Amino acid sequence: MKKWFLLAAVAVLALPALAQQQEAFPSYIQVTGRSEMEIAPDEFYLSIVIDEKDSKGKISVESQQRQMIDALRRLGVNVDKQLKVANLSSEFFKRRNSVATAKYQLQLGTAEMVSRVYEALDRVGISNISIQKVSHSQLEQLKQQVRVEAIRDAKRNAQTLAQAIGQQIGKCFYIYDSNNDVLPVFYNNAIMMRSMAADASAEGASEDQPLDFKTLKLQYYVQAKFVLE
């Protein structure tokens, strides 16, 4: 009997502490904030492959390299900064003939310049060009802006719902940000480039019409809890 009374007394003493803990935030509202932004890319990465097989060995890689660099410079491309050697190789066949290949990465700033580069290189016999990826020079800063706007949207949603029941929101005591990083859009083929060349050569096509690249979509969701007052 004494043991039972002791347990009951401990339980009674614990109730005030439990009640205080539960009343720390007696009522709250949980909402989701959302924000998105679409941005036009301003970084275009092209892969350019020069292969002697394309000319059936009639034009050396060195000669094609010079033609490529001359064509790029005529377009105003800073080849020292924008053009990088990605790979140099030599393939050996059973006849012991060596066919050289050279791969480059070219960074450009506009879709219009991408079109002009493709057309210029195609005229000198270099057509093995593909779009590796597109990105934006301020991508990291823009991602942070979208994340901040997502939590602001969550607060606005909480205020709207609280006012609908005649209450106000207090401080935010919980934020859950589970977003994955946003990666640039990648292009793994040259279909778009060849399609562009066909369109450009079509009757009535505009020389100034840029490629229709995908926009980069930044989208974030944030969950938050606010005290109801």
Side-chain angles (χ1 to χ4, degrees):
M1 183 65 69
K2 290 181 179 179
K3 184 176 181 180
W4 185 88
F5 279 118
L6 180 60
L7 291 174
V10 171
V12 170
L13 291 174
L15 284 176
L18 180 60
Q20 290 178 0
Q21 183 178 3
Q22 290 177 338
E23 291 176 0
F25 300 115
S27 60
Y28 67 88
I29 182 171
Q30 178 174 330
V31 293
T32 298
R34 175 180 176 275
S35 179
E36 69 176 37
M37 177 189 296
E38 288 193 6
I39 54 177
D42 66 359
E43 291 182 346
F44 303 83
Y45 296 86
L46 307 186
S47 172
I48 303 172
V49 178
I50 298 176
D51 195 327
E52 282 185 0
K53 290 185 293 185
D54 294 339
S55 65
K56 298 181 180 180
K58 296 179 181 179
I59 306 176
S60 67
V61 167
E62 291 79 7
S63 177
Q64 288 180 299
Q65 286 172 333
R66 288 192 295 269
Q67 292 178 350
M68 175 186 68
I69 291 174
D70 290 341
L72 293 176
R73 282 177 173 163
R74 285 194 296 269
L75 292 175
V77 175
N78 187 334
V79 294
D80 294 329
K81 293 183 178 180
Q82 297 173 245
L83 183 67
K84 296 181 180 179
V85 177
N87 184 44
L88 290 173
S89 65
S90 182
E91 301 175 359
F92 294 91
F93 296 90
K94 294 180 180 179
R95 297 179 182 178
R96 295 184 179 180
N97 292 329
S98 174
V99 179
T101 62
K103 185 176 181 180
Y104 294 86
Q105 183 186 78
L106 178 65
Q107 181 179 348
L108 300 172
T110 66
E112 179 187 357
M113 182 58 76
V114 173
S115 300
R116 294 175 63 190
V117 163
Y118 184 87
E119 293 171 0
L121 296 186
D122 189 55
R123 284 195 294 268
V124 297
I126 301 173
S127 60
N128 194 348
I129 307 169
S130 59
I131 305 169
Q132 289 183 315
K133 65 177 181 178
V134 300
S135 186
H136 194 281
S137 56
Q138 303 297 319
L139 185 62
E140 292 302 319
Q141 294 90 323
L142 294 172
K143 286 193 293 187
Q144 295 307 315
Q145 290 180 22
V146 179
R147 293 178 69 191
V148 169
E149 184 56 34
I151 189 61
R152 288 175 177 167
D153 182 61
K155 184 178 181 180
R156 288 192 294 266
N157 292 338
Q159 289 173 333
T160 299
L161 294 175
Q163 290 171 1
I165 57 174
Q167 293 185 257
Q168 299 292 328
I169 63 169
K171 67 178 181 179
C172 177
F173 64 94
Y174 174 88
I175 298 176
Y176 181 62
D177 179 7
S178 62
N179 295 285
N180 295 322
D181 196 13
V182 179
L183 297 176
V185 178
F186 284 82
Y187 297 81
N188 292 321
N189 57 72
I191 295 176
M192 182 180 222
M193 305 292 289
R194 294 187 179 117
S195 175
M196 176 273 297
D199 292 342
S201 61
E203 184 177 356
S206 172
E207 295 181 358
D208 298 328
Q209 184 177 2
L211 285 173
D212 184 17
F213 282 95
K214 298 176 183 177
T215 58
L216 302 176
K217 178 178 284 189
L218 309 182
Q219 189 174 66
Y220 285 93
Y221 293 89
V222 174
Q223 290 183 352
K225 295 179 181 180
F226 296 86
V227 178
L228 277 176
E229 297 177 344

